Amino acid sequence: MPGTEITGAAVIEEPTATTLVPPGWTATVDRTGALILTSEA
């Protein structure tokens, strides 16, 4: 869902991709469904 935030460490599995979110990073789902990764540093 758009607006969902996932704080690393995490592995996000999707039908066509797997994304690693390392510790200290956050993945946010934007309004189009894309994952935006940002560093907390």
Side-chain angles (χ1 to χ4, degrees):
M1 298 288 295
T4 300
E5 290 187 359
I6 300 166
T7 302
V11 176
I12 302 170
E13 294 181 5
E14 300 178 87
T16 60
T18 300
T19 303
L20 173 65
V21 183
W25 287 73
T26 299
T28 304
V29 181
D30 75 3
R31 63 183 177 89
T32 67
L35 288 173
I36 308 298
L37 273 66
T38 54
S39 174
E40 296 173 359

